[in-house]
Amino acid sequence: MSTPSVILTNKRVSANRSARSATAHPFFSLFRGTYVGKAGLESLKTYKYVGIDHSIIAKHIMQPFWTSLVPYLPMWMAPNMVTLIGFAFIITSYFITTSYTPLLVGAVPQWLYFFNFLCMFIYQTMDALDGKQARRTGSSSPLGELFDHGCDAVTTVLSALTFMGAVQVGAGPFALFSVVSMMLAFYMTQWEEYHTGVLELGYVGVTEGQLSIMFIYLFSTVTGYQFWANTLPLPSWLPIFGGYAMPYGYVPVLISIVAGYFTIISNLLVVIKVAPSLEPKLTPGAAITKAYTRLVPIVFLSVMFIAWSIVSPTRVLQLHPQLFLSTLGFLASILVGRIVLARVCKEHFPPFQPLLIPLAAVFLIWISPHSFVGTIPFPQHTPANSEEVFLYLYTVVAVLGYLHLALSVIAEICATLKIRCLHIVPKQV
């Protein structure tokens, strides 16, 4: 029979273990205290996620399917681990496809199309299950939403590059315009939620887009990459593009771009409607203008990358499309992470973002034929090498910037809420 002192000692040991397990992992602690103020951390404790999905397919077909899979997840598996597993499949799909299509065109083996289908299917499934697992295990937290959106932002650009390489889009302005459009649409969805507090998805959205990609991968498993090399003659009466032949691979990408811009227009109209009520001390015009200033970072990023592709002396987009477009994607993902973090923590989102400063060097160095590009101190390097080195360095900066943001936020939130990122902490009794 246990004595009261023994029982008390056991409870203390259990409490100490729970307290230790609830603190951030020492690795994450290295990054703590960078992005969120004290008031923002306190706001995390009262944050509640609100989302509405109008998709008929998601609501009546996919949701029942996803719900049926939840019991197969072990109770000890953290929701963020579910997210991370799906994200890992997208990364694997991207790197394998890129090895065959470094210039977004190449001989893609038919088995790879089926593999990409499986990766997209697993990602979509895991992305749908993470929230359900959080509610099932009672481990829902703001970190889960930030972790999910952070992975989704990078997934957007990596899956776009994977898909464009698979359908033989090729390196050029169309590929750049596609990535810009997709990242802009993703950012502006979060921008709308920043002002409304509700993530509202339309009747045709992410679920339909992912299912379409999976269908095209299955279709290509049968036809092979050669199918996408065919062209579609455009009617002569079309302005600008009349008489041209459009590659088949452009068609699904073009449809996604058009759908994205419908979403963007909807985002703009919603914010125009709600902005005045959020800033009652300002005139309606001033309130809307203030809300629209939060679009400055993503617009600046998009315009500068488009301009860089135009003034590039070495045609850097055509020679290094994977590096160029993935750098754009990681920078956009950082902006997405920052605005989501500001919303969750109820903090101000500043239009100025330091990581975008190096883009000004593009104009300082390459926009003028009388630029000082030849004076950049890279030993035994020509101006062509200088631009390539700049791109490589900026890619590293973008990836490290994204990782620093992610790890820092994980450390700060875990320490504040006394949770673990990839482990479910037992509730203290």
Side-chain angles (χ1 to χ4, degrees):
M1 181 176 180
S2 300
T3 65
S5 61
V6 172
I7 295 175
L8 181 60
T9 301
N10 289 338
K11 286 185 177 180
R12 286 175 178 171
V13 170
S14 178
N16 290 336
R17 287 175 179 171
S18 296
R20 287 196 300 270
S21 65
T23 59
H25 189 278
F27 174 74
F28 293 125
S29 298
L30 295 174
F31 302 90
R32 186 180 174 188
T34 306
Y35 293 95
V36 187
K38 291 183 178 179
L41 292 173
E42 286 300 314
S43 298
L44 289 171
K45 299 176 182 179
T46 59
Y47 173 77
K48 297 294 182 183
Y49 168 76
V50 181
I52 302 173
D53 190 352
H54 296 289
S55 170
I56 295 175
I57 293 178
K59 186 181 299 183
H60 297 290
I61 299 177
M62 301 309 298
Q63 285 292 350
F65 168 68
W66 294 326
T67 300
S68 69
L69 297 179
V70 176
Y72 293 98
L73 295 176
M75 288 295 293
W76 51 260
M77 181 175 285
N80 291 334
M81 180 62 76
V82 178
T83 306
L84 191 61
I85 291 173
F87 183 50
F89 277 90
I90 290 296
I91 294 176
T92 303
S93 173
Y94 167 73
F95 278 110
I96 295 178
T97 303
T98 298
S99 69
Y100 287 95
T101 60
L103 300 180
L104 297 178
V105 65
V108 180
Q110 289 174 261
W111 64 264
L112 184 53
Y113 285 108
F114 186 73
F115 178 77
N116 287 343
F117 158 77
L118 289 178
C119 288
M120 178 59 71
F121 174 78
I122 293 172
Y123 163 75
Q124 183 194 56
T125 303
M126 292 300 189
D127 191 45
L129 294 182
D130 53 10
K132 299 179 187 300
Q133 176 73 348
R135 291 185 290 273
R136 177 185 178 220
T137 58
S139 56
S140 298
S141 72
L143 178 60
E145 182 177 351
L146 287 161
F147 195 90
D148 181 76
H149 286 324
C151 292
D152 287 346
V154 176
T155 293
T156 299
V157 65
L158 295 186
S159 60
L161 292 174
T162 302
F163 182 75
M164 287 193 292
V167 298
Q168 310 293 295
V169 166
F174 186 76
L176 172 60
F177 185 67
S178 302
V179 172
V180 167
S181 301
M182 293 174 190
M183 298 310 298
L184 188 62
F186 192 96
Y187 176 91
M188 291 189 65
T189 298
Q190 306 307 319
W191 172 73
E192 178 190 314
E193 188 181 2
Y194 177 88
H195 295 93
T196 64
V198 179
L199 178 61
E200 187 169 1
L201 303 177
Y203 290 95
V204 178
V206 177
T207 300
E208 289 75 13
Q210 292 171 343
L211 291 175
S212 299
I213 290 174
M214 285 187 271
F215 172 78
I216 290 173
Y217 281 147
L218 284 178
F219 175 78
S220 302
T221 302
V222 178
T223 64
Y225 76 93
Q226 296 88 347
F227 173 83
W228 301 107
N230 296 317
T231 57
L232 179 69
L234 297 178
S236 58
W237 50 264
L238 278 178
I240 303 176
F241 302 105
Y244 284 90
M246 181 172 64
Y248 280 5
Y250 278 35
V251 176
V253 178
L254 189 59
I255 292 173
S256 69
I257 291 174
V258 172
Y261 277 102
F262 274 111
T263 300
I264 289 172
I265 293 171
S266 174
N267 299 144
L268 293 171
L269 295 176
V270 169
V271 173
I272 287 176
K273 183 178 179 180
V274 303
S277 64
L278 299 176
E279 301 282 355
K281 295 182 180 180
L282 301 177
T283 64
I288 294 171
T289 300
K290 183 177 180 179
Y292 273 51
T293 60
R294 298 182 180 106
L295 293 177
V296 169
I298 194 67
V299 172
F300 176 79
L301 175 66
S302 303
V303 170
M304 292 301 289
F305 262 83
I306 292 172
W308 184 4
S309 71
I310 295 173
V311 304
S312 170
T314 64
R315 301 174 71 246
V316 66
L317 170 61
Q318 286 75 13
L319 292 178
H320 302 286
Q322 301 288 349
L323 275 180
F324 191 84
L325 297 175
S326 61
T327 301
L328 166 61
F330 271 98
L331 290 171
S333 298
I334 291 173
L335 297 181
V336 168
R338 293 303 299 267
I339 197 169
V340 172
L341 183 64
R343 172 179 57 79
V344 170
C345 297
K346 298 180 181 178
E347 292 187 327
H348 171 66
F349 175 72
F352 175 73
Q353 297 293 327
L355 271 178
L356 301 183
I357 293 177
L359 282 175
V362 171
F363 281 95
L364 292 175
I365 298 176
W366 290 296
I367 197 171
S368 169
H370 305 292
S371 66
F372 52 87
V373 66
T375 65
I376 296 180
F378 292 128
Q380 299 180 346
H381 282 279
T382 66
N385 294 127
S386 299
E387 185 178 21
E388 184 178 18
V389 169
F390 177 86
L391 176 60
Y392 274 100
L393 290 176
Y394 201 26
T395 302
V396 172
V397 168
V399 174
L400 291 181
Y402 173 82
L403 291 175
H404 188 270
L405 170 64
L407 296 174
S408 298
V409 170
I410 288 173
E412 292 176 82
I413 294 180
C414 285
T416 300
L417 300 181
K418 294 180 170 53
I419 59 175
R420 283 288 187 94
C421 179
L422 302 175
H423 173 71
I424 297 178
V425 178
K427 295 186 181 297
Q428 298 185 30
V429 181

